[in-house]
Amino acid sequence: MQYLENDQKHRHEIEDRILAVEEKEQSLRAQEAPQIVKFNLRGQIFATIIILSLVGSLFYSIYKDYYWIAGGSIIVTIIAILPQWFNKDRKKADPNETDRK
């Protein structure tokens, strides 16, 4: 009987340590959340500026009859947008999956 009581006590100690680690991780996530939002917003703004500049260079190249530059702008714009489409499909497939890049 003493063996079972010691085993149960040991399991409770392990679970208490696991809960303490989880609480610490949750508090760190709560502290980091505003920075994550800030950097995500910066990334979205930067990506929008790049895409708009590529589209602008496309129209300007067509206007100046530089079709090879326009073709390059189209290709680079498509390459820049494609990962977002694939990423969106992956998140729809498994909403509980965390992105750890």
Side-chain angles (χ1 to χ4, degrees), residues 27-94:
S27 66
L28 289 174
R29 285 187 190 131
Q31 291 172 356
E32 291 175 351
Q35 279 188 314
I36 292 170
V37 169
K38 179 175 70 172
F39 287 124
N40 283 344
L41 180 63
R42 285 183 186 174
Q44 289 173 350
I45 290 171
F46 184 65
T48 303
I49 290 170
I50 289 174
I51 296 296
L52 290 177
S53 65
L54 287 170
V55 171
S57 68
L58 165 73
F59 289 126
Y60 185 73
S61 301
I62 290 173
Y63 175 72
K64 291 289 188 175
D65 293 331
Y66 294 122
Y67 296 112
W68 59 276
I69 294 177
S73 294
I74 291 172
I75 291 170
V76 171
T77 303
I78 290 172
I79 289 172
I81 292 174
L82 278 178
Q84 295 303 317
W85 288 339
F86 290 128
N87 193 21
K88 186 171 91 173
D89 292 339
R90 185 174 58 95
K91 286 183 180 178
K92 281 183 182 178
D94 188 6

